[in-house]
Amino acid sequence: VTGILGFADSEPMPLRWGEVIPLLLLQGNNNNNNNTVSNATDHHYHTMILSHPLRRYTDAPAMVPELVELGNALRQWMDRRPERIAVVISSDLSHTHLADGPYGYSPASSQFDSAVGQWAQNPIQNANQLLGVATLLQNQAQSCGYTGLVTLHGILDKDKTNSPFNLRSTVWANRNATYYGMMVATFEVVNFSTTTQTT
């Protein structure tokens, strides 16, 4: 990848913190004191960045079926690949934890983050926490990362793909230190012949 162009391929599209921070962590740049992303030639893996349309801010609940379908299609594509694949979803949770925050306060904020955390503990068994409870709270919670998590659910949902597997999940943190919530979780997919870790 040499870059991403936008505006009729006339201008480069800058990467923001949602892409840069995970890329830094994936590259293992813990000793990189200048905090910059290395050139693509400095690592031994390929990167594909997928973004969701701007309507995720206004129509996220209505997008759920298509996002699950997208995740299913991505999973089927990954299952056909010979490479080991990691999926990183960079997503903030509710943005309405503080009254003096940019989006104000909503009592839905804690409920939303809790529902997403319950889903992450066991995505298949607790699917309704993400696809039902969190969906109903999304408009008040204003999570910009909700659509990424729904896509991830489609990737992890064995019932919609042709590849049965076991799933081990760990929620490392689910908190808000400021007006928005954050969660760190890992999902280890164990196929019959391979093991893949999704973070």
Side-chain angles (χ1 to χ4, degrees):
V1 175
T2 56
I4 302 172
L5 297 177
F7 310 104
D9 293 340
S10 63
E11 296 180 31
M13 299 289 291
L15 297 179
R16 301 290 305 264
W17 59 84
E19 300 88 17
V20 172
I21 292 172
L23 288 172
L24 282 170
L25 296 174
L26 281 177
Q27 294 182 112
N29 283 342
N30 296 333
N31 296 325
N32 186 350
N33 293 327
N34 63 8
N35 295 323
T36 59
V37 176
S38 303
N39 292 331
T41 56
D42 291 346
H43 54 74
H44 301 290
Y45 58 85
H46 300 284
T47 304
M48 177 172 53
I49 297 173
L50 175 70
S51 183
H52 289 153
L54 290 176
R55 69 187 180 96
R56 73 183 182 272
Y57 296 116
T58 57
D59 299 333
M63 294 173 66
V64 167
E66 67 190 86
L67 294 170
V68 171
E69 186 177 335
L70 172 63
N72 292 164
L74 288 168
R75 175 60 193 266
Q76 291 171 5
W77 175 81
M78 288 186 271
D79 283 347
R80 293 190 302 266
R81 303 295 305 169
E83 301 91 355
R84 183 174 180 212
I85 297 175
V87 176
V88 178
I89 304 294
S90 181
S91 65
D92 296 337
L93 299 182
S94 174
H95 278 52
T96 55
H97 281 282
L98 293 179
D100 61 350
Y103 304 98
Y105 172 76
S106 171
S109 58
S110 294
Q111 297 169 359
F112 178 90
D113 290 3
S114 176
V116 171
Q118 290 174 42
W119 164 80
Q121 291 172 10
N122 189 333
I124 306 307
Q125 192 172 45
N126 298 338
N128 186 57
Q129 292 297 315
L130 180 72
L131 304 180
V133 176
T135 299
L136 294 175
L137 298 169
Q138 165 59 18
N139 287 336
Q140 293 80 36
Q142 298 187 34
S143 167
C144 64
Y146 175 70
T147 54
L149 295 173
V150 175
T151 303
L152 177 61
H153 180 81
I155 292 170
L156 298 174
D157 186 3
K158 68 178 180 180
D159 296 329
K160 302 286 190 294
T161 66
N162 296 321
S163 56
F165 58 86
N166 294 317
L167 181 64
R168 289 185 287 234
S169 59
T170 303
V171 176
W172 300 99
N174 185 2
R175 294 186 175 79
N176 68 291
T178 179
Y179 67 89
Y180 61 95
M182 298 174 280
M183 180 177 68
V184 177
T186 55
F187 307 91
E188 187 176 12
V189 177
V190 183
N191 280 335
F192 291 123
S193 59
T194 62
T195 300
T196 304
Q197 190 171 43
T198 305
T199 305

